[in-house]
Amino acid sequence: GQNIDQPTEMTATEGAIVQINCTYQTSGFNGLFWYQQHAGEAPTFLSYNVLDGLEEKGRFSSFLSRSKGYSYLLLKELQMKDSASYLCAEEDSNYQLIWGAGTKLIIKP
Amino acid sequence: IAGITQAPTSQILAAGRRMTLRCTQDMRHNAMYWYRQDLGLGLRLIHYSNTAGTTGKGEVPDGYSVSRANTDDFPLTLASAVPSQTSVYFCASSAGGGGANVLTFGAGSRLTVL
């Protein structure tokens, strides 16, 4: 079956770095997405990885290892506004998304 | 401002009533989707449409129906609401096709069925 695993909740300190992991088990993998969702709001697109390696976009980076079925989202120089849920989603062979339950990130001053 | 509009924002509904959630996009996206989001679970796909005139069933389609008469609109209908359909519903759209199928989401519709 298809299963996306990510931690339920993480806590980090303002100004620090945090890594949110995501593992997936599926065939027909097409790509891996990360979305950000603030409480009470819609998810918004952060990153997409289809090849192995690190994609850097400002303070946010996303890594993919296809052989290990593993991805992570790296957030640097954390700001209070980064408090949100981070959703990992795999794009399957039909270009549909299979979503993890999300990781709630709590930033403390 | 280009994007997706959902209505209503929230609704309380008696069990057994019929309800239609509206979704309109102005980005000329080919594909549209309806998801429900429940605490502790990932977004679950209810129905989707790859292009106007076609629809498909997602992971949790039972009790829901959709139509796609044109590119812009993708309403979701609950024919006879049940309490288990209490959820936050998100409509989304994408250009469709292969590659990075980035979804743009509406603000959501919070539905409570009593």
Side-chain angles (χ1 to χ4, degrees):
Chain A
Q2 296 167 325
N3 190 32
I4 309 292
D5 288 322
Q6 54 181 131
T8 302
E9 186 175 297
M10 299 181 70
T11 302
T13 304
E14 189 177 15
I17 298 173
V18 71
Q19 177 175 312
I20 302 173
N21 297 324
C22 171
T23 59
Y24 58 92
Q25 299 173 349
T26 186
S27 60
F29 173 84
N30 260 338
L32 197 291
F33 287 85
W34 285 95
Y35 282 74
Q36 180 190 58
Q37 185 177 25
H38 285 100
E41 298 183 9
T44 56
F45 170 74
L46 284 179
S47 68
Y48 174 72
N49 293 69
V50 63
L51 301 175
D52 287 353
L54 189 68
E55 294 278 345
E56 297 187 73
K57 195 183 292 185
R59 294 189 300 114
F60 291 9
S61 302
S62 56
F63 172 84
L64 178 68
S65 170
R66 295 177 64 150
S67 62
K68 295 182 179 178
Y70 168 69
S71 173
Y72 67 73
L73 182 68
L74 191 71
L75 291 75
K76 303 176 184 176
E77 301 170 17
L78 286 169
Q79 302 175 9
M80 297 304 293
K81 67 178 182 179
D82 297 330
S83 292
S85 289
Y86 292 86
L87 314 180
C88 174
E90 180 220 345
E91 184 178 51
D92 69 14
S93 56
N94 296 314
Y95 303 105
Q96 299 289 356
L97 296 185
I98 302 121
W99 296 84
T103 298
K104 182 178 181 180
L105 179 63
I106 299 168
I107 310 296
K108 296 185 175 181
Chain B
I1 297 176
I4 297 182
T5 302
Q6 288 185 234
T9 303
S10 67
Q11 181 77 44
I12 299 174
L13 188 66
R17 296 298 295 270
R18 181 184 180 89
M19 178 72 194
T20 295
L21 304 180
R22 300 184 297 279
C23 176
T24 300
Q25 56 106 355
D26 61 4
M27 297 173 285
R28 307 305 292 173
H29 280 169
N30 287 321
M32 296 188 75
Y33 313 84
W34 274 105
Y35 288 94
R36 59 178 291 172
Q37 188 174 42
D38 302 290
L39 194 65
L41 299 177
L43 288 161
R44 291 183 292 169
L45 184 64
I46 303 170
H47 285 286
Y48 66 93
S49 169
N50 287 330
T51 189
T54 69
T55 62
K57 294 182 179 180
E59 179 186 356
V60 289
D62 293 344
Y64 306 94
S65 64
V66 292
S67 62
R68 187 89 184 277
N70 56 61
T71 298
D72 298 344
D73 301 301
F74 192 45
L76 177 74
T77 297
L78 290 67
S80 179
V82 295
S84 62
Q85 291 178 311
T86 294
S87 187
V88 179
Y89 291 87
F90 286 101
C91 180
S93 71
S94 70
N101 192 27
V102 177
L103 269 60
T104 300
F105 285 85
S109 296
R110 182 175 295 275
L111 184 66
T112 302
V113 183
L114 301 176

